[in-house]
Amino acid sequence: CNVYPILEGRLVAADKEQKYTTQFQAGLGMVSECIEILKLHEIGMRSIELEAKVLKAGVFSGCTARRVHNLVSEMFAPRFYRPDSGTADRIKTMIDMSVSTDVLRQVFLIQTARAQLALHDFITELYWPLQKRGTDFINLTTAKDFLTAAAQNGKLKKPWSAITLGRVAGYLLGACHDFSLVEKGQNGQRAFKHFRLLKPAALYLAHDLRFSGLGDTAIVSHRDWALFGLDQPELVLELLYELSADGHFLIQSGAGLVQFSWKHPSWKEAIHGIAG
C-alpha cells in the first residue's frame, strides 16, 4: 500500500515503484466529464462496456470515438476502475445523493493523484511548500524544473524530450486549475487559490483508507492527506478530531498510536454519512 510511515513527526514517501507518465494529455482534471461518465456507470461494469455506453448515450456529442476512448479508457478507468469498479460505484452513489461538485472535485483529485504520481508529487512536493512559504504564483518554468529534477532522479517511465517536459509541465498546471488549486494562467504563471480540504471529502478519504484495510495509525499517516497540505500526522489528527466532534467516529491518540471507533460499519452507511 502507498503509505507514509511516521518519521520524526512528518510523512515520508514509501512508494518507489510508480513512475511518471504523459497520460495527462488525454484530459487533465476532467471534472465535469467524470461526473457525466459516472452517471452512466453501472456496478461491475468494465471499461470497454462503459466506453460503448458513453458513445451510445452521446453525452460528448462533439467528440470523436477516439476522443471518447481516451477519456474513458486512458483517463477515467485508471482513476475509478482499478483494481475494480468499487470506487466508481461509491462515487456514483454520492452523485445520486447530490453531493456538491466542490466535494466531488476533491474526491476526484485524490483518485487522479493516485493514478498519476507526477500530480501527487507536484502538489505535495512543490505546490504546498511554495504556498506555505507565501509565494503568490507558480509558473511553467518552475513546473519544468520540477520534472527535470524528477527525470534526474529516475522517476520517469521512459526518457522525455525537452518538448515533452514542457507539455507535461503545462498538463500539471492545467490539472491543478481543474482541481481549484490555482487560477487560470496569465503571462505564463498561475496564482495560488485559497484551497482547503472540505469535511465531506475528508470523511471520504478517512473511510476509503479504513475500508482499504489500513490500521488506525496508518490511516493518519497516509500520503494522500498531504494533497491538502496536511503533511504532518499532527495536522491530520487535528482535522480528524474535528470530524469526530461532528459524530462520524470516535478517535483517541497517544504514545504514537491512534484508535478509531467507527460509527458506520459499511461503505453504504458511510456514504450516507458523507452525503448527509
Side-chain angles (χ1 to χ4, degrees):
C1 55
N2 298 334
V3 177
Y4 280 103
I6 297 178
L7 180 64
E8 297 181 354
R10 296 191 64 82
L11 306 181
V12 183
D15 188 347
K16 302 293 185 182
E17 300 301 323
Q18 194 178 0
K19 300 289 186 179
Y20 295 3
T21 73
T22 61
Q23 202 172 36
F24 271 119
Q25 61 190 321
L28 305 183
M30 53 182 278
V31 175
S32 61
E33 292 91 342
C34 282
I35 290 174
E36 294 303 316
I37 294 170
L38 281 162
K39 288 177 180 178
L40 295 173
H41 162 75
E42 297 176 20
I43 294 176
M45 187 173 266
R46 296 177 301 157
S47 177
I48 191 170
E49 295 168 330
L50 179 59
E51 183 181 330
K53 189 173 182 181
V54 170
L55 277 170
K56 184 176 180 180
V59 291
F60 305 123
S61 57
C63 296
T64 64
R66 177 61 184 172
R67 174 62 175 160
V68 171
H69 171 79
N70 288 341
L71 288 174
V72 176
S73 297
E74 296 188 20
M75 297 297 289
F76 180 90
R79 303 178 191 189
F80 303 102
Y81 271 18
R82 294 180 185 170
D84 53 47
S85 69
T87 298
D89 298 341
R90 294 187 286 272
I91 300 176
K92 180 178 181 177
T93 300
M94 292 168 66
I95 292 173
D96 293 341
M97 297 181 71
S98 300
V99 169
S100 75
T101 300
D102 288 338
V103 171
L104 292 172
R105 181 180 289 109
Q106 294 193 351
V107 172
F108 292 172
L109 169 58
I110 295 167
Q111 297 301 142
T112 304
R114 288 174 177 175
Q116 295 289 337
L117 182 62
L119 180 63
H120 205 300
D121 286 354
F122 184 75
I123 294 172
T124 58
E125 297 177 11
L126 185 67
Y127 173 90
W128 281 110
L130 286 175
Q131 193 186 85
K132 289 181 178 183
R133 287 204 297 266
T135 305
D136 294 324
F137 298 92
I138 188 169
N139 58 40
L140 189 63
T141 299
T142 303
K144 288 172 66 176
D145 290 345
F146 168 82
L147 290 173
T148 299
Q152 294 169 349
N153 291 327
K155 290 189 175 183
L156 305 189
K157 190 171 184 179
K158 59 182 180 179
W160 294 347
S161 67
I163 293 176
T164 300
L165 280 170
R167 286 176 178 170
V168 177
Y171 301 154
L172 289 171
L173 291 174
C176 284
H177 172 258
D178 289 349
F179 292 123
S180 295
L181 282 84
V182 297
E183 302 284 358
K184 285 186 176 181
Q186 186 175 6
N187 297 325
Q189 61 185 11
R190 294 176 183 262
F192 288 108
K193 295 184 71 171
H194 176 68
F195 182 77
R196 62 181 180 86
L197 178 58
L198 300 175
K199 284 188 175 182
L203 280 172
Y204 172 88
L205 178 54
H207 282 94
D208 181 72
L209 298 175
R210 169 207 177 188
F211 287 117
S212 73
L214 292 184
D216 292 352
T217 302
I219 289 172
V220 176
S221 57
H222 195 274
R223 67 197 304 261
D224 287 346
W225 297 108
L227 290 167
F228 303 94
L230 305 177
D231 60 348
Q232 300 179 36
E234 292 79 7
L235 296 175
V236 178
L237 277 172
E238 184 178 336
L239 172 62
L240 291 172
Y241 273 111
E242 288 183 26
L243 298 177
S244 175
D246 292 337
H248 297 286
F249 48 76
L250 296 177
I251 184 171
Q252 295 177 303
S253 63
L257 299 176
V258 178
Q259 183 175 15
F260 286 89
S261 295
W262 299 95
K263 178 180 179 180
H264 308 299
S266 69
W267 249 124
K268 182 177 180 181
E269 292 171 288
I271 289 174
H272 279 271
I274 294 167

